[in-house]
Amino acid sequence: MAGASSLVGKLETEVEIKASAGKFHHMFVERPHHVSNATPGNIQGCDLHEGDWGKVGSIVIWKYVHGKSTLYT
């Protein structure tokens, strides 16, 4: 990443999914790195910065598209 940015706020979007609520929740909790496979136009990927996947307190950095810009949070 070229420079660190501090984005603070709330980001919301609506995405239609063809899965049960349980499967969707499992993907976000246990396999957040798979979210980009489900929404490639919105979320480009994520990296585990600290902790373990699916564990409370872990820090995940998300790469997503807002308009025409790719952002990191």
Side-chain angles (χ1 to χ4, degrees), residues 21-37:
K23 286 183 180 181
F24 180 76
H25 180 263
H26 177 74
M27 181 172 59
F28 260 94
V29 172
E30 298 292 328
R31 293 173 169 53
H33 51 286
H34 289 183
V35 173
S36 61
N37 296 337

Side-chain angles (χ1 to χ4, degrees), residues 6-72:
S6 297
L7 298 177
V8 178
K10 183 184 252 187
L11 175 68
E12 293 183 27
T13 188
E14 290 186 24
V15 177
E16 184 176 337
I17 61 169
K18 296 180 181 177
S20 68
K23 286 183 180 181
F24 180 76
H25 180 263
H26 177 74
M27 181 172 59
F28 260 94
V29 172
E30 298 292 328
R31 293 173 169 53
H33 51 286
H34 289 183
V35 173
S36 61
N37 296 337
T39 60
N42 299 86
I43 299 173
Q44 301 297 308
C46 68
D47 295 313
L48 182 64
H49 181 69
E50 186 176 303
D52 296 314
W53 292 114
K55 301 294 181 185
V56 174
S58 297
I59 299 174
V60 178
I61 299 173
W62 291 92
K63 181 179 177 185
Y64 63 93
V65 176
H66 183 273
K68 294 183 180 181
S69 299
T70 300
L71 306 170
Y72 296 89

